[in-house]
Amino acid sequence: MTTEADEFQSVLQPLLRPAYRLAVAMVGDQGLAEDAVQEAAVKAWRKLGTLRDRSALESWFLSIVANQCRSLRRGRWRSVLRFPDLSSREARGEVGIEAAVDLQRALDRLAPDDRLALYLHFYRDLTYEEVGRVMGVSMTAARSRIVRATHKLRPGLDPQEVFADV
């Protein structure tokens, strides 16, 4: 006999880590990201019965997380001054830290939806169609957003490396 906890473990648990990474990429704060994922998981769990195609579970759940992040950004005042988290990057050495800070600054200059599109496509390896589903736009619009966002990053920055160490 399967309990609700077992079903949650098998259905949503594997998606929580990618959802958390998405939330951190969108809101830029680990605490807010945890809140967003927790709220999204509750909402998804309640609406799981309405999901028609289980093969679309990941993009469906990530779209709930993305919407929750947008709500958090609208609803809470955030500090404009953010310091990069260099503790996990110390092992790379000084050059690695500078590159990471440079990359973070380039990403921070992008609009939140541009960062989201890049994260979903390059880090989560979602197709243009899946990115569109998560973002609530067409596949063509998702592809255009990814291309435009890539061009907005500073010249010479390889978009395949953007999320390599996130």
Side-chain angles (χ1 to χ4, degrees), residues 57-157:
L57 178 67
E58 181 179 17
S59 59
W60 175 76
F61 182 59
L62 291 178
S63 68
I64 294 172
V65 172
N67 288 335
Q68 188 63 35
C69 289
R70 287 183 192 104
S71 294
L72 279 176
R73 279 198 324 254
R74 280 191 303 267
R76 292 189 183 187
W77 181 84
R78 293 182 50 220
S79 173
V80 257
L81 181 61
R82 291 190 345 225
F83 295 97
D85 177 19
L86 301 177
S87 60
S88 64
R89 298 177 176 131
E90 287 175 3
R92 295 186 207 168
E94 198 170 307
V95 174
I97 290 172
E98 290 173 8
V101 169
D102 188 37
L103 172 60
Q104 189 59 53
R105 285 184 183 148
L107 289 169
D108 285 344
R109 283 192 296 266
L110 296 176
D113 282 343
D114 289 344
R115 282 194 307 270
L116 172 61
L118 290 175
Y119 171 83
L120 292 171
H121 184 67
F122 290 111
Y123 182 73
R124 293 297 310 147
D125 286 330
L126 296 185
T127 65
Y128 294 129
E129 183 177 341
E130 291 169 323
V131 171
R133 224 180 297 144
V134 170
M135 296 184 73
V137 298
S138 70
M139 185 266 307
T140 306
R143 185 179 62 218
S144 295
R145 182 175 294 274
I146 290 165
V147 169
R148 279 194 315 269
T150 302
H151 289 296
K152 287 178 187 176
L153 291 174
R154 78 174 165 80
L157 188 61

